[in-house]
Each structure stands twice: as structure tokens, then as C-alpha cells.
Amino acid sequence: MSEPTTPVFSVRDLWKVFGPGADRIPGSEHAALPSTELRERTGCTAAVRNVSFDVDKGEVFVVMGLSGSGKSTLVRCLTRLIEPTSGTLAIDGEDVLAMDRTRLRELRRHRAAMVFQHFGLLPHRTVLDNVAYGLEIQGLGKAERRARAAELVEKVGLGGLEDRRPAQLSGGQQQRVGLARALAVDPSVLLFDEPFSALDPLIRREMQDEVVRLHREEGRTMVFITHDLSEALRLGTRIALMRDGEIVQLGTPEEIVGSPADDYVRAFVRDVPREQVLTVATAMRPPSAGEGDHGPALRPEATVSEAIEAVARSGDPVARVMKDGRLVGVVDHACLLDVVAGTGAQAVTV
Amino acid sequence: MATAQAATGPAAGPGTAGPLAALRGRPALGKLLLLLVIAAVAVPVVHARWGGGIWPGALTVDLGGPLGEVNDWIIGNRDSHPLFLHFFGHISNAVVLSVRGVYLALLALGWAGVTAVAALVAWRTAGVRLALTAGLSFLACGLLGMWVPTMQTLALMVVAVLVSVVLGMLLGLAAGLSDRTFRLLRPVLDTMQVLPAFAYLLPVVLIFGIGVPGAVLATVVYAAPPMARLTALGLRGADAGVMEAVASLGATGRQRLLTARLPLARKELLLGLNQTIMMALSMAVIASVIGAGGLGDRVYQALSSVDVGAALAAGIPIVLLAVVLDRTTEAAGRKLGTEPTGPAALRGRRGWGAVAVITAAVAVLGRFTGGRIWPESGVVAIAGPVNTAKDWMVDHLYTGIPVIGGTADWAAHFTNWILNPLRSGLQGLPWWSVLLIVAALAWTIGTWRTALTAVLAMAGIGVLGVWELSMDTLSQVLAAVAVTLVLGFAIAVGAARSTRLERLLRPVLDVFQTMPQFVYLIPVVALFGVGRAPAAAAAVVYALPAVVRITTQGLRGVDPAAMECARSLGATPGQQLRQVQLPLARPALLLAVNQGVVLVLAVVIIGGLVGSGALGYEVVFGLAQGDLATGLVAGAAIVCLGLMLDRVTQPTTRRQRKES
Amino acid sequence: MARTRTRAHLRTTATVASAAALLAVTGCGAADMTKQASPFAAPADIKTVTLSVQSWVGAQANVAVAQKLLEDELGYRVDLVQTDEVPAWDALSQGRVDAILEDWGHPDQEKLYVEDKKTIVPGGDLGVTGHIGWYVPAYWAEEHPDVTEWKNLDKYADELRTPESGDKGQLMDGSPSYVTNDKALVKNLGLDYKVVFAGSEAAQITQIQQFAKEKKPFLSYWYQPQWLFNEVPMVEVELPEYSDACAAKAPEDIDCAYPTTPLQKYLNADFSKRGGEAAAFLKKFHWSEKDQNKVSEMIASERLAPGEAAERWIEENPATWKKWLDR
């Protein structure tokens, strides 16, 4: 699926090691040690180990993992809020690690904006001035930045609250301010660091919808950090699953759920309602003779649960999977049940 | 030397050695055992070499000679040496000019103008009630016939506070932004905060001589540390999440500091300002001893003619100033981050504009109608009635009251039964055992570092050659602290129980705490005679408010869930107090002890003026006779004593505290 | 990395700023702080005299009368500075004070400032004679007439015990700023007494008044002229006779009574030359013990403001003060 255009972020062999003599760890004999042993031997902690990936333009790249897996460190390395220990890192093909202070500041000001778990709002400023803060940093005039900020306040649904202070807002509202502040600078990529984990489930859902909407409407590239699998599956174009600083698996939600790379990932995705993630393209089998003439037609990217519904409604034993008016396969009860039960040996084909 | 061993030994720490492993669960016991072992080895050697009893003469250093020479050199070169002409001279000049500028400005505003400014500023920052208090307070200063001295003190304060704040913020910025500076500066600032004000006077007098410049600089040295300390803490305590967010937006270092770090520390900055103002005020009064003029001078003069009434007339404006300044800055701190209130036309800049306009109008009006200086006819003399009241009290309380005896009898008993045995006990203790006790106390309650500091401070006293005098002062401090704690805890338990009692106590405590220490001295002499007893009494009165307040807050702050739980189990009020409140309020109690000790020491030193003798007398003597050798050595010993007492009563985690 | 660099940058800025500030303060010219006036002094177009007031009431009486006359008759504005005696000499030498009206004898300071540095000049006799000694209350001396002889003091040591003096008799001293040989005297005369310092004259007076109310015996360092004698009559204890030879001994060896001192005035040298009428007036200021006591009493026992007391005396004694104004 990767296209010839330059990826927004291109990360290769990235390491971040904390502790004494951290820069000697990558590439040494200690590099492969498990984290506890590494700490005992060298006193160092490797938060990010040898990570490589690309973030493509327009995608929502989700980095998922439990706390301590290094995902938050990783996202901070992208704009050098945390200085990586080794590796290469490019944004739109430009080497980030080689940037001087001014260039790096330009990067942070215009190209990548971040939304934080604990919002990071300035308590002494009003909502409007918080949203305008990024623009103020850039040196924009007061009237101009306020006008722009007012637009964004409206856009994230906080109209009328411009003069409040952060302390007077609910958590969800505060995060909308955080989002508006990031959007105000019109960055080419948005970085989210577990933005919704401090929020109530209902609000979280609402905010996720907001992100989905933003992505759909503006097609902005996003890197999204989360520890919540369902959030990852809901938002992610691709998901990188991290454990102990390493990426254990990188793929589409369907790949992660459908063919976990190892037991860790398997355990992770065990409780996921697979029929809502996996597509019929995964579940289908080649049609036997005669199966291609009748039964409901489905797109390959339809989810299994949609297929189940279609089959159940039509009363036909099989449903046809059609791509561009051409039959590519069929799904019957057995295929669909295999997905639900997780018993079939799916070979994911994309 | 025992000190060195006792101090470095602990570095190994308990529990590292095999046999001590069993003591891991009881660190205090382990520390004490280790100390015991060290003592068992070192004491016989030390004892054989230098003997017991008071600090051995062989280990002292005589600073009298060199200090005397320094003193003479300064007097000889004060008007010729470039250091004085080109450095101190200009500082002194700048102070004189700025104090004069402020003073003339205040006089130009006139009493109406100044009162208007005070009331309007209080109104802008804290609301109508405080505005009323501020206005009335300034009018009261005029009514008491203290307008000019009040303005002098205010002028001195304005300059001293401004300099303190700028200096404190610069230091705080350095410490807040650099870890190294912070590590270097923090212990110094912490220590400066516990030193008695009196100890600061001599060095400044040495350089600047008697007068306003010296007074202002002593005040700055005394008042800047809290500002520096709180600025540093505030800057360092900035929400890391916010700072990261700001960095992620590409802010430059300057932008990070100005738009985020400093505004985030506003609460601490204002608290720092509040503390600086309060400390500056208390110092400005004490500095009257070195010629600060103003209200302090009036108190000092009144006291020298035993005129309690006149002293009170000058003391009340000090208290009023303190209350107004304290409440205004406190309210400003509280108001931060809340929605502006009041009519829209008076918010923000427009409100301050209104303040300026009204002030100008009132000042002009006042000038045309009443003149600038408070009219002499509008003065209410309170000195007479107050003195009558005081005389009556003394006449009826001094002695011969059936059963309980009079105050003089109490003083005699207190001196004979408590102070004297304690003093002879302390002076009779072998010097090395005092060091050991100090080490044991400081180490059990804190870390080996605090123990080391405490022991070194104590040894410093010995080296200075004022061991015996310091033991005398120490005995007074201990006795007064014991009384303070007993009374303080008793009152606090009552106040924690009854909201009414607390509400009743609060203004009284406020007043007692802001009263200049000087004002207590004469009534206590009248009641308790001359000697150590009145000094102890003054110390108790001065330290009691802080102890009561901290303890009450601590008892009240106990987790209500725990109290509810105890009640649900059917605990009696006594059981609740003993088993829940007191144990849970332990940090507050320790802090109360610490504060009590620090405050008591400050007054016991000033007690040199009423016959408490010992180190306080030496300092007073040094100041009075211009004998800086005596005074400075005693001052240094006081510093050491204060340091030792603070460390011995300081729990490992020092809490941020607000003292005034 | 970026952060440390910003910090370094900030630090540089701070250093430069403080250096600049320092330069602004110190850079140009010399400033002799010994020539600086008080910021609270009256504006320059008014003629100002600054007088030192010592803590005792006699000194307050001198100053009150001088102040009143300077203001009313000569049109000066007078500022008062209260300091102890030795610092007052220092301030006088620096010109922060123009005159001391009552000095009890400070040979060290006199040598340093008058003889060596020549920053202070003598201003002549005040007219009052001062005397320091040991005093007991009259009511007690009447009961035990022999107490006024120092040799008999030991007999009464028991009666004079206080908690502060322990098992010895108490000899009460006052302010640390006063000239005293009492410790040496007690030692050299072999007396069973302990010197207890009241710490300030105020404390000492309060204690004496308290003792007097109770008609208790006491022994105290005290001096004449002093208004308290009118309230609490006291009798001096005879000490071994004063001699110049004895006074010349080292302070710790002194074993004789205090001298009788004609109290002196001192003026700042500059002021003495350029002080015009005020300097001339202060040099001529000369009155008797009786005059001083009258004013002192009004201040101390009647609790009049010093200015008011001075005014009353001025009204009643024009003959005395008119002479001081003669050219």
C-alpha cells in the first residue's frame, strides 16, 4: 500500500536509553538484553529500542502499548522533546536530528503540534488566549491570532467559553482547548499523547468521534498514542504495538487482530470482538461452482459482522464478495463462525 | 575528634553491615546503636585528651583580636578607602536617595492621599472589607499621632521590600533555572530563615555605621531569602506537563520563562512577597537599634523611658501596617486564576486607572483643605490610660496573691526550679556528651547530613569560645520552648475542638505575632522583674501564636474519614485525640516544635535587653559599645545555636511554611 | 541540550544585567558615606541640625530644650537620632549627628576621634556634673545605716539574693552601653556579690520601681543626676576613694570609686566650623543640675512630652537661655 510519496515521518533504528553512559548501549552487547537485566548490568533503561517505521501522509498512525512500553517516549522523540539516543529520524525527508535550534523550533511551531494527556494548558490564561498561545509564540499580532483562535474555539465546539479559565472547564472541554491550540498553528502532523485517557468513557467516545471527523474532513496526518486497544482499532489506519520499547507488530487493525504476531499480541487482542474488525476479505474462501450466482453481495472491506447480518437477512447460505463488479470469493456460515470463534486459520491477504 | 567520627561514621548507614541487618526495620534504633558504638570508642580517647566539663580551651580560637583589628581598620578607612568610596558609599547613597524619594512622595500625597491609596489598592486586590480595614488603619496611625513615623517606616519598607524582591527574584531565578545553584543556595536560604534578626545587625553596622542605609541593608538581608526561596521553589515546581506543552509549541527559552514558568509560579511569588513584607516589617522595627528611625525608633525611645503606653501607641501602627500588608498580599494570592468580579467598567486596567485618578483627586483635595501632615489637634493620646492600666495590673499581680502567688513569685520559682538546674545541668555536662546528644537527636529525626550540620554548629560554638554562655542561652530556650509547647498544645487542642474558640483566638494570635518583639519586653519586666524569667516569658508570648496556629491547623487537617471511622467504633473524644488526631497530625506537631524553637530563640536573644544575660547580652553589649569583636562572636554563636536547634527539630522532609 | 543552552543564555543575561546595575551604582566617582545625611532630614533649603539623644532622661532634657530654642529662636529644624553612646561618637565623627550634648567620658573615643582623626571637637562643659556609684534605697539605709560603707556590704549579701544572683547578693547593673567597672570592683574588693545586668536602663528602672513599691532592699549601679531619685530616694554606698592612679589601671584591676565627671558637649568638626548660629548656640549651651532635673522630672514622672516640658522650662527661665543666644 505504500506510495512513492515521501512519508511524513520516517524513523529508522531509533533508540532512547536513559541512564549513565546511555549512548554506549545501542549496538553494544547489552543492546539485546531484557530490560530488567539491562538495568541491573548497566543501570540504564531502554525506553525505545531499535524502532523503525514510516508515517504516511494522511494516515492515523497509532502507537499502542501498556504503560512503560515506551510509546510516550517515542512520540516525544519525534519532535525531540526527548533527545533520541541513536538512529535516524526524518520529517518530510528532512533529517530532524541534524536540525539546529532555530530549525527545530520552526518544526515545532509549524509542522508538528502535540496534544497532551494532561492538557498542558496555562492556568492563568483564558480559553481564547490558550488557543492563541502557539500563534503568540510564533510572533503573530494580537488581533490576528485572536481571530484565528476564535475560529478554532468555535470549531471544537467551545463557542461562548472564550473568556473562561481552564480551571473552570470540564476535562473534556479542557482537552478541546488543547486540541484547538494544536490545530491553531495548522500543523502538517498532529501528535496525540494519550489525549483521552484522563476522560470519562462517554466524553472519550465523543472526543474520538471528533478526531475521526477531523481526519475525515481535513485529512490531516496524525500520530496517536494510546493504551486503549478499542481506541486504537477505532482510529488507527495502522497500529504499531509496543512492548518494552520495541515494536512487536505493525499493521492494520485487521492484521493485528486477525493474525497476531506472537502470544503477547494474541493475549492483547483476545477479547476484541473480531467480527467487527476483520473483513470478509479475510474470512472468504474461493467460490465453489454455482456459488457465484446468488446471495447478497458484499464489498471486500465489509466487516464480518456486516456479512453475518447480510447472510442472516437474505436467508442464503453464502454471501458473495464482489470487487469492482467481479466475484473475488464467498463467505458461508462456517467461514463467518470461524472468525467469531477465532478458530479458523486465517491467512490475511491484503 | 569525636565530632568528626560521629559525623562521618553514619555515612556508611545502618543496615549495610551484616549484624545490623536485623535493625533494618527500626532505622532510628540502628542509628542510635551505631552512634553508641562510635561513642564507646571515641569518648575515652577524647576524654583522656581534653577532659570533660565545658569545652576545652585548647580547642578554641580567639577571634577577639583579629575582629578588633578589622573594626579599627574599617573606622580608619571608612572615609578614604576605595572599597568604601566606590562601592559601599554608592550603595549607601542610593539607599538614602531612594528612601528620601519615597518619603517625600508619601509626604506629598498627604495623609488623605496615602489613606486613599491604601484603601483603593486593598479594594482592587481584596475587596471592600479589606479596603475599609486599610483606610481605618491608616487613619488610626494618624489618630495615634504617629503619622510621620509611620511614613518613615513605610518609606524604608518600600525601598527595602523592592530591593529584597528584586534581589530575591534574581537569586530565585538563578536557583530555579540551575540545579547547581539551587543545591548551593537552598541550605543557605533555609538557614538564613531561622536566624534571629538580631544576629544580622552587627555586620551591617560594621560597614555602614548607624543609620538608615545600614538598617535598610540589614532588612534586605533578612527579608530577601524567603523571596529567593519561594521563587526558586515556584519556578522548579512549574507543572512539567504545561512546560512540555509550551516547549512542544516551539517556545524559546525566554518565551518559556516569561509566558509560562513565571506566570505558573505566581502563587509562590506572591507568597514570597507576603513573607518578604512581613519579615521586612519586623526587621525595620528591630533595626531601630541601629538607627532605622520611624515607628521602631518610637517604640525603642518609649521603652527606654519605661513608657509602655507610648510604646503601644507606636506599636499599634506597626501591627495595623502588618495586618493590612499581610491581608492584601494574601488576598492577591488567593484571587489568582479566578474570574474577575465587579462591574465590567472597573476591571483590569481601567480599575487601576480609577485608583490612580481617585488618589490624585483625594490628595489634591486633602492638600487644599487639611494640609499634608496629620493635624496635631486630631491626635488621641492613649499613652496615659494605657500606663494607668499597666500600673494597676502590675500592682495587683506582682506578688502576694493568695494561693497562686504573684507573677514575681512565679518568676522566682521558674528561675530557681527550672532555669537554674537546667543551666547548671547543661554547663555541667561534658562537652562531648552534648555533641553526642545533638547528634543522636538530629540523626533520629533527620538524615546524617542534618546530624552533621547540627554537630558542627555545636562544635563551632565551642571553637568560638562561648560554650558556657551558649549553654546558658540554650537552657533558657529549652525551658521557654517547653512552656510554649505545653501551653500551645493545650490551647490548640481546645481550638481544634471548638470553632468558636478558634474564631475568638485568631485575631488575638494575629496581633501577638505581628507585635514587634520589643513591645513585650517592658511589661514582662514589670511583671516578672529583671532576669531570665521575663525573657522566657516574652519568648513564650511571642512563640505561642505560631505554635497554636500550626497545631490547630494540623489537628483540624486530620483526614475526616479517619475521624469518622474512630467515632463509628465508639471512641471517646479523648481516645480520638490520642489515637487518631495526634498521631496523624505528627508532621504538624513537629513543625510547631521547630517553629517554636526558632521563635523562642529570637526573643531570648533580644531578652538580653531585660537581663537574660548570656549571648543576648553580648550582642547588645557589642552594639552598644561598638565592640564588634564581642558582638560578632556572640552573633556567630547565635547563628550556630539557631542552626543546631533547627536541625535537631527539623523532620527530614521540610514542609513549606508560611511564617510572618 | 537546548534547555541547558537557554539557561546559559539566561545566566549570561542576568550576569550582564547585574554587572550593569553595579556599574550604574558604583561606576562614577566616589561616594563618601560618612557624609550622608538621614533621608528623613528636612529638605535642603531649611537649616537643619541633627542631635544625638541618649537613652536616659537627663540627655532627653538637654536635647528637648536645645531643640525648642533652635527651632523657635533660630529657625532651625532639628532632627533627633537615638543611639547608644559609643555608636553616637561614631555617628558624630561621620557627620550623621552634629552634636552630643552630654558625654560621660569616653577616653578611647576621645583619643581616636578628637586627637587622631580630628573629626570631632569638644563643645565645652554642659554645666552638669555626673557621678556614677552604687546606691541602696533610702528606706533600707535608714534601717541599716552601716550598709552605706562598702566593707559592710557582705553582711547584707543574704538579703540581696535573687534567683539571678544565686547564693550571692545581687548588684544590679543597667544598660550595657554604660561605663561600668562593677565586675572588677566586686572581684577586687572581694565582695560576696554577683553583677546582674538588667540589659537596658528601662529594665533597670522598672525593677527599681518594683523593689521600691515592695520596700525591698536592693543594691544598684546608678548615677546622678537622675530623675528617679525623686521617686525612689537612694543613698550612695561609699567605695574606696577615687584616685587618678587607680583610674589609670587596667580595667580589670580597678578597685576604687567612680570619678565625678563634668559632663561634656562634643561637636562634629565640620559643623563646628560651618554650623553658624546653631554651632555657636550649642557651644554656649550651659545649665545647672537643678535646671536639668526640672525638665527631666516633667518628662519622666509627669509624663509630659519632652517638647512640652522644654517649653515650660523656657517660659520660666528666660534669663538662663537668653545668654546662650548672645552673639
Side-chain angles (χ1 to χ4, degrees):
Chain A
M1 225 167 87
S2 53
E3 292 162 38
T5 56
T6 336
V8 176
F9 275 116
S10 173
V11 178
R12 293 288 174 274
D13 313 322
L14 196 74
W15 280 82
K16 177 61 201 178
V17 185
F18 293 103
D23 46 342
R24 286 197 300 274
I25 304 292
S28 73
E29 80 268 30
H30 296 305
L33 290 176
S35 55
T36 40
E37 217 172 305
L38 180 70
R39 195 169 326 120
E40 270 171 26
R41 292 249 193 113
T42 63
C44 289
T45 316
V48 175
R49 294 167 170 256
N50 205 19
V51 164
S52 303
F53 61 86
D54 284 337
V55 176
D56 296 318
K57 202 165 177 58
E59 78 169 332
V60 178
F61 186 88
V62 173
V63 180
M64 197 196 66
L66 299 179
S67 58
S69 61
K71 56 190 190 304
S72 287
T73 309
L74 178 62
V75 74
R76 281 168 174 73
C77 285
L78 296 181
T79 55
R80 280 173 55 191
L81 284 174
I82 290 177
E83 208 63 48
T85 309
S86 73
T88 61
L89 168 60
I91 182 166
D92 298 323
E94 186 184 351
D95 187 353
V96 175
L97 299 184
M99 288 180 177
D100 63 0
R101 256 194 326 167
T102 328
R103 194 84 194 110
L104 184 64
R105 210 179 288 138
E106 283 310 300
L107 159 70
R108 291 178 184 169
R109 286 183 178 182
H110 298 289
R111 292 159 79 176
M114 197 155 164
V115 179
F116 295 87
Q117 180 179 7
H118 297 296
F119 323 135
L121 303 178
L122 293 164
H124 57 284
R125 291 173 169 242
T126 61
V127 165
L128 193 68
D129 284 335
N130 260 296
V131 173
Y133 185 67
L135 301 169
E136 184 184 335
I137 292 291
Q138 295 176 9
L140 227 61
K142 192 165 181 175
E144 203 178 336
R145 66 176 189 247
R146 286 205 156 177
R148 172 106 182 97
E151 270 172 46
L152 278 148
V153 169
E154 204 61 49
K155 183 169 186 172
V156 297
L158 290 178
L161 301 179
E162 286 89 347
D163 290 332
R164 298 282 179 90
R165 312 260 163 165
Q168 297 165 309
L169 301 180
S170 72
Q173 288 171 325
Q174 291 192 41
Q175 195 55 294
R176 283 170 194 269
V177 178
L179 186 59
R181 178 176 65 186
L183 286 171
V185 299
D186 193 22
S188 52
V189 52
L190 268 173
L191 309 176
F192 291 88
D193 178 30
E194 299 204 42
F196 309 140
S197 26
L199 306 180
D200 290 339
L202 264 178
I203 311 285
R204 193 183 311 164
R205 178 88 194 187
E206 227 176 272
M207 294 299 291
Q208 287 165 1
D209 290 341
E210 191 80 34
V211 171
V212 170
R213 186 172 65 88
L214 269 175
H215 184 237
R216 207 171 42 225
E217 287 174 5
E218 302 186 351
R220 218 180 278 274
T221 314
M222 301 180 183
V223 176
F224 198 102
I225 309 295
T226 181
H227 66 256
D228 179 355
L229 183 63
S230 64
E231 189 169 80
L233 295 173
R234 225 166 104 71
L235 300 177
T237 318
R238 285 190 302 152
I239 298 172
L241 210 150
M242 284 186 80
R243 179 193 185 190
D244 285 344
E246 289 171 303
I247 293 185
V248 238
Q249 189 172 3
L250 196 164
T252 60
E254 199 181 355
E255 285 168 328
I256 302 267
V257 176
S259 46
D262 61 10
D263 287 347
Y264 179 74
V265 183
R266 195 164 298 122
F268 219 99
V269 300
R270 184 180 300 140
D271 297 327
V272 174
R274 305 156 58 81
E275 67 280 7
Q276 289 174 14
V277 178
L278 297 192
T279 58
V280 287
T282 322
M284 70 189 180
R285 61 173 168 75
S288 330
E291 282 180 329
D293 333 324
H294 56 90
L298 296 164
R299 290 168 295 110
E301 56 269 27
T303 61
V304 169
S305 74
E306 284 167 339
I308 292 172
E309 198 188 335
V311 171
R313 272 179 204 279
S314 70
D316 283 310
V318 293
R320 291 171 298 157
V321 181
M322 309 288 283
K323 190 177 184 186
D324 304 330
R326 202 165 50 82
L327 180 70
V328 289
V330 295
V331 281
D332 58 10
H333 289 109
C335 302
L336 296 171
L337 281 174
D338 273 345
V339 170
V340 176
T343 47
Q346 294 101 4
V348 175
T349 51
V350 180
Chain B
M1 213 172 115
T3 52
Q5 286 172 28
T8 48
T16 45
L20 287 174
L23 291 165
R24 246 178 214 165
R26 306 283 303 278
L29 205 63
K31 289 174 185 175
L32 285 182
L33 267 180
L34 192 60
L35 201 64
L36 211 66
V37 173
I38 294 165
V41 179
V43 163
V45 181
V46 168
H47 194 83
R49 176 86 173 72
W50 288 295
I54 68 160
W55 187 271
L59 293 181
T60 61
V61 176
D62 181 22
L63 290 177
L67 281 176
E69 278 166 32
V70 170
N71 188 18
D72 291 346
W73 183 85
I74 288 178
I75 290 178
N77 292 282
R78 202 161 31 196
D79 46 7
S80 55
H81 195 275
L83 178 65
F84 287 94
L85 290 182
H86 293 278
F87 185 67
F88 292 129
H90 283 285
I91 293 181
S92 173
N93 215 357
V95 170
V96 170
L97 282 180
S98 32
V99 172
R100 183 162 185 80
V102 178
Y103 179 59
L104 291 182
L106 287 173
L107 287 187
L109 269 178
W111 62 268
V114 172
T115 308
V117 174
L120 289 169
V121 169
W123 165 67
R124 286 296 303 146
T125 50
V128 176
R129 260 185 66 183
L130 196 66
L132 221 61
T133 315
L136 289 179
S137 297
F138 274 89
L139 292 183
C141 296
L143 275 177
L144 288 166
M146 286 292 153
W147 187 259
V148 171
T150 306
M151 290 306 109
Q152 292 180 344
T153 296
L154 208 56
L156 197 149
M157 284 272 300
V158 167
V159 173
V161 167
L162 277 181
V163 177
S164 301
V165 165
V166 170
L167 198 71
M169 277 189 66
L170 283 178
L171 284 175
L173 268 177
L177 299 179
S178 140
D179 290 330
R180 260 220 350 250
T181 321
F182 183 68
R183 271 199 305 276
L184 263 165
L185 220 52
R186 172 141 199 200
V188 178
L189 295 179
D190 280 352
T191 305
M192 286 179 90
Q193 208 155 359
V194 303
L195 297 184
F198 239 54
Y200 288 98
L201 297 180
L202 269 161
V204 233
V205 173
L206 182 68
I207 292 167
F208 292 97
I210 297 281
V212 172
V216 168
L217 288 164
T219 309
V220 168
V221 174
Y222 187 63
M227 191 71 213
R229 203 164 150 264
L230 281 158
T231 307
L233 289 178
L235 291 179
R236 303 182 75 80
D239 186 337
V242 177
M243 289 316 295
E244 190 176 36
V246 171
S248 83
L249 288 166
T252 60
R254 179 195 300 265
Q255 284 173 329
R256 279 203 296 270
L257 180 67
L258 293 181
T259 62
R261 210 178 264 281
L262 273 175
L264 284 175
R266 280 177 321 165
K267 272 211 153 81
E268 282 81 3
L269 292 180
L270 270 168
L271 183 60
L273 177 68
N274 175 292
Q275 287 199 13
T276 294
I277 289 178
M278 299 314 282
M279 294 188 81
L281 186 58
S282 97
M283 191 61 168
V285 173
I286 291 179
S288 64
V289 178
I290 59 168
L295 291 169
D297 193 51
R298 293 305 174 97
V299 175
Y300 191 49
Q301 276 186 28
L303 290 187
S304 61
S305 53
V306 204
D307 191 342
V308 177
L312 200 69
I316 289 173
I318 294 170
V319 173
L320 292 176
L321 266 187
V323 169
V324 169
L325 291 170
D326 181 41
R327 295 293 145 79
T328 311
T329 44
E330 201 192 336
R334 245 199 335 268
K335 238 179 69 169
L336 284 183
T338 56
E339 201 67 349
T341 51
L346 290 174
R347 277 185 213 162
R349 244 172 250 166
R350 247 175 296 173
W352 290 109
V355 168
V357 171
I358 299 177
T359 303
V362 171
V364 170
L365 204 71
R367 197 149 181 185
F368 281 121
T369 53
R372 289 176 294 160
I373 306 289
W374 188 271
E376 282 199 23
S377 53
V379 170
V380 179
I382 63 154
V386 170
N387 280 326
T388 319
K390 182 214 104 190
D391 288 343
W392 183 89
M393 248 175 59
V394 171
D395 287 347
H396 290 79
L397 295 178
Y398 190 66
T399 187
I401 301 170
V403 189
I404 53 166
T407 47
D409 307 325
W410 297 353
H413 293 326
F414 187 69
T415 310
N416 284 331
W417 296 344
I418 298 176
L419 285 174
N420 283 345
L422 199 57
R423 177 171 67 180
S424 30
L426 281 176
Q427 288 176 342
L429 276 181
W431 57 276
W432 42 261
S433 71
V434 174
L435 294 186
L436 273 177
I437 292 168
V438 165
L441 281 175
W443 201 13
T444 357
I445 200 167
T447 61
W448 66 270
R449 267 170 205 278
T450 45
L452 179 63
T453 318
V455 169
L456 283 181
M458 208 59 213
I461 291 174
V463 171
L464 286 169
V466 284
W467 183 265
E468 215 168 345
L469 288 176
S470 303
M471 287 300 129
D472 189 351
T473 298
L474 183 59
S475 73
Q476 296 173 37
V477 171
L478 292 181
V481 165
V483 176
T484 309
L485 292 184
V486 169
L487 288 178
F489 286 169
I491 297 174
V493 166
R497 281 275 169 74
S498 142
T499 319
R500 236 177 71 203
L501 181 61
E502 199 199 1
R503 214 175 302 142
L504 227 86
L505 273 176
R506 191 167 174 213
V508 181
L509 295 183
D510 277 359
V511 168
F512 271 81
Q513 208 169 2
T514 37
M515 221 44 169
Q517 300 136 342
F518 275 1
V519 178
Y520 296 128
L521 293 180
I522 289 307
V524 294
V525 173
L527 286 171
F528 300 104
V530 155
R532 286 164 289 156
V540 170
V541 175
Y542 186 67
L544 205 52
V547 171
V548 169
R549 182 171 300 160
I550 295 170
T551 314
T552 312
Q553 273 168 8
L555 289 177
R556 294 217 154 201
V558 166
D559 183 6
M563 291 296 291
E564 198 173 21
C565 175
R567 265 199 308 278
S568 77
L569 289 168
T572 63
Q575 284 172 325
Q576 285 170 33
L577 180 70
R578 270 198 319 279
Q579 292 162 2
V580 184
Q581 276 182 304
L582 287 182
L584 285 183
R586 190 167 168 266
L589 299 188
L590 280 174
L591 182 65
V593 172
N594 179 275
Q595 280 291 281
V597 167
V598 169
L599 295 175
V600 161
L601 176 66
V603 179
V604 162
I605 296 302
I606 294 182
L609 289 168
V610 294
S612 76
L615 292 177
Y617 178 79
E618 298 279 302
V619 175
V620 174
F621 179 86
L623 278 171
Q625 290 283 347
D627 181 353
L628 294 159
T630 310
L632 275 181
V633 167
I638 291 167
V639 169
C640 289
L641 203 60
L643 200 59
M644 184 279 282
L645 285 168
D646 180 57
R647 293 304 131 100
V648 163
T649 53
Q650 183 190 78
T652 317
T653 50
R654 176 191 279 271
R655 290 164 26 136
Q656 237 194 66
R657 55 184 195 227
K658 177 177 186 281
E659 62 217 304
S660 45
Chain C
M1 203 171 92
R3 186 170 294 183
T4 47
R5 221 178 290 157
T6 2
R7 278 185 191 161
H9 179 70
L10 272 171
R11 211 177 304 143
T12 330
T13 320
T15 319
V16 170
S18 43
L22 210 67
L23 263 179
V25 178
T26 59
C28 32
D32 185 354
M33 64 175 158
T34 63
K35 300 279 186 306
Q36 288 157 1
S38 157
F40 303 136
D45 52 339
I46 301 177
K47 299 182 287 180
T48 311
V49 179
T50 310
L51 298 177
S52 158
V53 190
Q54 292 97 330
S55 54
W56 60 91
V57 181
Q60 284 184 11
N62 304 330
V63 170
V65 171
Q67 175 181 17
K68 195 85 198 158
L69 289 172
L70 278 168
E71 286 176 349
D72 293 355
E73 304 294 326
L74 297 176
Y76 279 81
R77 163 163 176 136
V78 178
D79 281 310
L80 305 182
V81 175
Q82 172 161 20
T83 51
D84 286 315
E85 291 167 86
V86 177
W89 273 84
D90 198 30
L92 184 64
S93 131
Q94 293 187 32
R96 290 182 187 184
V97 170
D98 293 322
I100 297 178
L101 295 184
E102 178 175 321
D103 185 75
W104 285 65
H106 289 89
D108 290 349
Q109 276 69 27
E110 211 181 312
K111 181 167 180 331
L112 176 65
Y113 296 117
V114 178
E115 287 175 28
D116 296 351
K117 292 177 66 95
K118 305 208 184 336
T119 47
I120 295 177
V121 293
D125 277 4
L126 174 68
V128 180
T129 305
H131 177 61
I132 298 169
W134 292 3
Y135 290 84
V136 292
Y139 51 80
W140 193 45
E142 276 163 26
E143 283 172 45
H144 309 278
D146 59 341
V147 78
T148 54
E149 179 66 39
W150 69 268
K151 288 193 177 109
N152 301 325
L153 279 175
D154 273 355
K155 267 205 290 187
Y156 299 96
D158 283 358
E159 281 189 55
L160 295 175
R161 273 192 210 166
T162 68
E164 287 301 327
S165 63
D167 54 1
K168 297 182 171 179
Q170 169 174 295
L171 166 58
M172 184 163 59
D173 263 44
S175 161
S177 66
Y178 295 173
V179 179
T180 170
N181 307 322
D182 286 3
K183 272 191 175 166
L185 280 168
V186 167
K187 196 185 91 215
N188 298 333
L189 301 178
L191 293 172
D192 189 21
Y193 279 79
K194 185 179 170 193
V195 182
V196 171
F197 286 91
S200 58
E201 186 175 86
Q204 193 182 10
I205 291 176
T206 311
Q207 181 71 78
I208 290 177
Q209 286 172 326
Q210 205 55 259
F211 279 138
K213 246 179 225 161
E214 314 253 307
K215 296 272 177 246
K216 275 194 183 164
F218 63 86
L219 173 67
S220 179
Y221 166 104
W222 207 232
Y223 60 92
Q224 276 179 318
Q226 230 293 350
W227 59 272
L228 189 66
F229 282 104
N230 299 330
E231 195 182 316
V232 183
M234 287 182 259
V235 181
E236 188 176 0
V237 175
E238 270 179 53
L239 290 169
E241 204 180 330
Y242 172 82
S243 68
D244 288 343
C246 158
K249 289 185 195 174
E252 60 271 20
D253 294 332
I254 288 177
D255 55 1
C256 63
Y258 292 90
T260 305
T261 323
L263 304 181
Q264 298 298 309
K265 293 173 291 180
Y266 286 96
L267 269 59
N268 174 276
D270 266 1
F271 172 75
S272 168
K273 263 184 247 155
R274 305 201 183 89
E277 285 180 305
F281 164 79
L282 289 174
K283 282 179 197 160
K284 285 199 195 111
F285 189 101
H286 186 283
W287 63 348
S288 71
E289 207 170 307
K290 214 179 90 206
D291 288 323
Q292 196 197 43
N293 267 348
K294 247 186 228 158
V295 182
S296 302
E297 250 168 78
M298 283 191 270
I299 297 173
S301 347
E302 295 172 38
R303 300 238 184 257
L304 280 185
E308 219 170 308
E311 206 173 330
R312 285 197 198 172
W313 181 87
I314 288 171
E315 266 168 38
E316 288 164 17
N317 301 280
T320 315
W321 58 262
K322 283 258 169 23
K323 282 185 282 184
W324 307 339
L325 295 171
D326 289 345
R327 305 269 152 139

